[in-house]
C-alpha cells in the first residue's frame, strides 16, 4: 500500500476540535457545528483506580464502535449466562471507569440488551436500557448518554466517555418492525441485525446455508433508516450482509470485524462486503479479536495488517476500530485463558460459538490491552508510514462522520 510518510504529532483533543470539521465533516460534505470548549485537561481523574496509564492518554480522540467499560479481573456472578445480580447490575468498577477515561475514549458503543440465551428478548432489552441509564446517572462527571454525534463532541470536550447504547441482535423486534421506533425513542443508537445464528431477520455468520435477509429483515432495515438508527452488519452471514447493504437508504456500519482476505474465518468480511459498505458511505471497524489470525493467536501486528487491508479496499475515510473489548487489562493471564476456555465451552453448548473460538485462545489481543492500547496502535500505524490525518480518521473521526450523517448533529 502506498502511504505518505509524515512526522507524527500527538493526536489531541485540540486536534480533534479543529480537525473534526476539516476532516470528518468535510468528508460528509457537511458544515461544522460550534465546538464546545473549556473541558477538563485530564480525562483520567481517578488516581485511586490503580491504573498507571500516563495522562498523555487523555489527549486521544477515540470512538470505539464496539466495546465496553468493565474490569475483567472481577468475576461476574449469575451462573453460565454471566448475568449480574443485585447491586452489581448498576455498579461500575472504579478502575474500569478510570481506564476508559484515561484511554482517550470519547465514546464507546456498549452492547446492551438481548444477545442470546433464554431471556425474553424484548423485556430483557428494555430492562437493560434502564440499567445502563441508571449507571450513567450515577456517574454524571464521567459518563454521558449519546443521542447525537454532538454528544460525542461534548463528551470529548468535557473529559467524559460517551455511552452509545447498541444491540448485537435484533431478535427483540419480535414480529413488529415498528419496534425500531420504540428503541430509538429509548436512545438505542446502533442495532446489529443478527448474531452468529439465525433470527427472524436473516442468517448469522455461523449458519452454513448462508441465507439472505428475510422480508421482515428488510422491513426492519427500513424502520431503522426511518428512525435514524445505525444499522450494524457485524456477525451477519455474507448474503444477509449483502442484502442489507442493498436495502438500506443510509450509511451502515460493520462495527467490529476483520478482513477475510487476510484471515479466512466466517466472522471476517469479504472484500466485496467491505467495499460495498464503503461505497454507501459507511464504515468498517476492525476488532482486537483472535479472528485476526488463523491460529487464533492474534497480536497487535495482526490488527495493523487488517486495518491496512481495509484501508486498501475501503479507502481511509471508511475504516475505524471496534475492539469488542474494554480498556482495563487482564492482570492474570493464566486466569484469563482459563476463563476463556470455560466461555468457549458455554458458547458451544448454547450453539452461539464461532469458528476460531477454542481453548487456548483469549478473546482479546494480549499485547494490545489496557488504557494505552489506542496510543500504542497509533504509534504502530505512524511507524508504518500512515499520516497523522489517516490515523485520526481511523481512531475516531470516520466514525463521527458516519454517526453525524445517520443520527444528526
Amino acid at each position: 500500500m502506498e502511504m505518505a510518510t509524515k512526522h507524527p504529532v500527538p493526536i489531541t483533543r485540540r486536534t480533534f476540535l479543529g480537525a473534526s470539521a476539516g476532516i470528518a465533516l468535510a468528508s460528509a460534505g457537511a458544515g461544522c457545528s460550534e465546538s464546545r470548549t473549556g473541558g477538563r485537561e485530564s480525562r483520567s481523574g481517578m488516581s485511586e483506580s490503580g491504573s498507571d496509564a500516563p495522562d498523555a492518554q487523555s489527549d486521544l480522540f477515540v470512538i470505539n464502535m464496539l466495546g465496553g467499560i468493565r474490569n475483567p479481573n472481577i468475576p461476574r456472578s449469575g451462573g453460565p449466562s454471566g448475568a449480574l445480580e443485585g447491586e452489581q447490575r448498576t455498579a461500575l468498577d472504579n478502575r474500569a471507569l478510570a481506564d476508559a477515561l484515561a484511554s482517550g475514549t470519547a465514546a464507546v458503543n456498549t452492547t446492551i440488551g438481548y444477545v442470546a440465551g433464554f431471556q425474553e428478548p424484548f423485556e430483557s432489552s428494555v430492562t437493560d436500557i434502564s440499567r445502563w441509564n441508571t449507571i450513567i446517572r450515577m456517574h454524571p462527571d464521567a459518563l454521558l448518554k449519546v443521542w447525537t454525534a454532538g454528544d460525542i463532541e461534548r463528551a470529548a470536550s468535557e473529559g467524559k466517555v460517551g455511552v452509545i447504547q447498541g444491540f448485537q441482535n435484533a431478535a427483540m423486534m419480535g414480529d413488529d418492525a415498528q419496534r425500531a421506533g420504540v428503541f430509538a425513542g429509548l436512545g438505542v443508537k446502533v442495532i446489529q441485525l443478527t448474531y452468529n445464528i439465525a433470527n427472524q431477520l436473516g442468517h448469522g455468520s455461523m449458519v452454513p446455508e448462508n441465507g439472505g435477509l428475510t422480508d421482515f429483515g428488510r422491513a426492519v432495515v427500513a424502520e431503522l433508516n426511518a428512525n435514524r438508527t445505525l444499522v450494524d452488519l457485524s456477525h451477519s452471514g455474507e448474503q444477509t450482509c449483502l442484502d442489507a447493504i442493498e436495502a438500506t437508504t443510509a450509511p451502515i456500519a460493520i462495527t467490529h470485524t476483520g478482513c477475510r482476505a487476510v484471515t479466512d474465518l466466517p466472522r471476517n468480511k469479504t472484500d466485496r462486503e467491505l467495499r460495498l459498505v464503503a461505497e454507501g458511505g459507511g464504515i468498517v471497524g476492525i476488532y482486537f479479536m483472535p479472528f485476526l489470525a488463523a491460529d487464533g493467536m492474534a497480536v497487535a501486528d495482526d490488527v495493523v495488517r487488517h486495518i491496512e487491508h481495509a484501508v486498501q479496499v475501503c479507502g481511509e475515510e471508511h475504516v475505524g476500530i471496534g475492539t469488542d473489548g474494554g480498556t482495563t487489562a487482564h492482570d492474570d493471564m493464566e486466569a484469563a485463558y482459563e476463563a476463556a476456555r470455560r466461555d468457549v465451552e458455554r458458547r458451544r453448548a448454547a450453539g452461539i460459538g464461532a469458528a476460531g473460538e477454542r481453548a487456548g485462545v483469549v478473546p482479546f489481543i494480549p499485547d494490545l490491552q489496557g488504557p494505552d492500547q489506542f496510543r500504542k496502535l497509533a504509534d504502530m500505524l505512524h511507524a508504518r508510514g500512515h499520516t497523522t490525518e489517516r490515523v485520526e480518521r481511523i481512531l475516531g473521526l470516520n466514525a463521527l462522520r458516519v454517526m453525524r450523517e445517520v443520527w444528526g448533529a
Side-chain angles (χ1 to χ4, degrees):
M1 172 172 27
E2 183 177 349
M3 294 170 286
T5 301
K6 182 174 181 178
H7 184 68
V9 297
I11 306 166
T12 66
R13 289 205 311 279
R14 288 185 296 275
T15 302
F16 152 69
L17 290 171
S20 61
I23 298 177
L25 303 186
S27 298
C32 177
S33 63
E34 181 179 351
S35 299
R36 299 179 178 90
T37 57
R40 295 179 301 205
E41 285 300 315
S42 173
R43 296 172 63 96
S44 56
M46 297 182 68
S47 58
E48 73 274 19
S49 70
S51 170
D52 58 358
D55 287 343
Q57 305 304 331
S58 65
D59 286 334
L60 292 171
F61 175 77
V62 175
I63 296 178
N64 188 350
M65 292 196 294
L66 197 287
I69 306 173
R70 187 176 77 85
N71 184 350
N73 304 293
I74 299 176
R76 295 168 68 90
S77 66
S81 68
L84 299 177
E85 297 177 348
E87 293 183 359
Q88 281 186 286
R89 290 186 57 78
T90 54
L92 192 62
D93 175 72
N94 278 350
R95 177 179 171 188
L97 183 58
D99 286 347
L101 290 164
S103 70
T105 299
V108 54
N109 173 21
T110 303
T111 298
I112 62 173
Y114 177 84
V115 178
F118 299 105
Q119 310 100 315
E120 200 287 315
F122 182 83
E123 180 179 344
S124 62
S125 298
V126 172
T127 298
D128 215 22
I129 293 169
S130 176
R131 177 178 73 90
W132 261 99
N133 287 344
T134 299
I135 291 172
I136 295 167
R137 285 195 300 269
M138 290 172 66
H139 300 280
D141 293 334
L143 301 178
L144 177 71
K145 180 166 176 171
V146 170
W147 292 86
T148 67
D151 289 329
I152 299 176
E153 295 178 290
R154 176 183 165 196
S157 68
E158 294 181 359
K160 299 178 182 180
V161 174
V163 177
I164 302 167
Q165 294 182 341
F167 293 158
Q168 277 204 74
N169 191 333
M172 67 286 295
M173 296 296 169
D175 59 1
D176 185 1
Q178 292 187 359
R179 284 185 178 178
V182 173
F183 289 119
L186 294 173
V188 178
K189 306 305 299 179
V190 183
I191 294 184
Q192 184 175 294
L193 299 187
T194 70
Y195 196 59
N196 288 336
I197 58 178
N199 64 15
Q200 68 271 42
L201 285 78
H203 282 182
S205 60
M206 293 302 118
V207 181
E209 292 83 2
N210 190 29
L213 198 66
T214 65
D215 289 342
F216 180 70
R218 294 178 189 278
V220 170
V221 169
E223 288 295 323
L224 293 174
N225 289 162
N227 286 280
R228 307 197 73 167
T229 302
L230 183 62
V231 175
D232 184 0
L233 298 178
S234 307
H235 287 267
S236 66
E238 182 178 2
Q239 191 58 51
T240 295
C241 182
L242 294 172
D243 288 349
I245 292 169
E246 182 180 6
T248 188
T249 58
I252 56 178
I254 303 174
T255 61
H256 56 299
T257 191
C259 305
R260 197 177 299 183
V262 179
T263 304
D264 188 12
L265 287 171
R267 269 291 285 112
N268 298 330
K269 295 296 186 180
T270 65
D271 283 359
R272 184 184 180 194
E273 293 168 278
L274 300 177
R275 183 165 44 250
L276 289 173
V277 166
E279 288 177 357
I283 187 168
V284 173
I286 300 301
Y287 45 29
F288 295 5
M289 288 289 280
F291 308 113
L292 300 181
D295 62 1
M297 302 299 180
V299 295
D301 284 338
D302 293 305
V303 177
V304 172
R305 286 194 306 129
H306 282 259
I307 287 175
E308 290 184 338
H309 183 81
V311 168
Q312 284 184 317
V313 174
C314 301
E316 66 180 50
E317 299 89 354
H318 302 283
V319 179
I321 52 172
T323 65
D324 208 358
T327 49
T328 297
H330 292 255
D331 296 334
D332 185 340
M333 285 300 294
E334 289 188 12
Y337 279 107
E338 175 58 24
R341 182 192 63 77
R342 294 194 302 269
D343 192 48
V344 166
E345 290 178 352
R346 286 194 295 264
R347 288 170 60 82
R348 284 178 178 171
I352 61 171
E357 296 177 359
R358 57 181 178 273
V361 171
V362 289
F364 55 89
I365 304 297
D367 60 339
L368 206 57
Q369 296 189 73
D372 66 342
Q373 60 187 266
F374 303 122
R375 174 72 65 185
K376 180 175 181 180
L377 176 61
D379 290 345
M380 293 176 71
L381 290 170
H382 280 134
R384 293 272 297 170
H386 296 274
T387 65
T388 295
E389 289 80 5
R390 176 177 288 172
V391 175
E392 288 176 338
R393 289 178 187 269
I394 292 168
L395 288 184
L397 294 182
N398 285 338
L400 182 66
R401 172 190 60 79
V402 173
M403 290 167 179
R404 181 180 296 280
E405 185 168 348
V406 175
W407 303 339

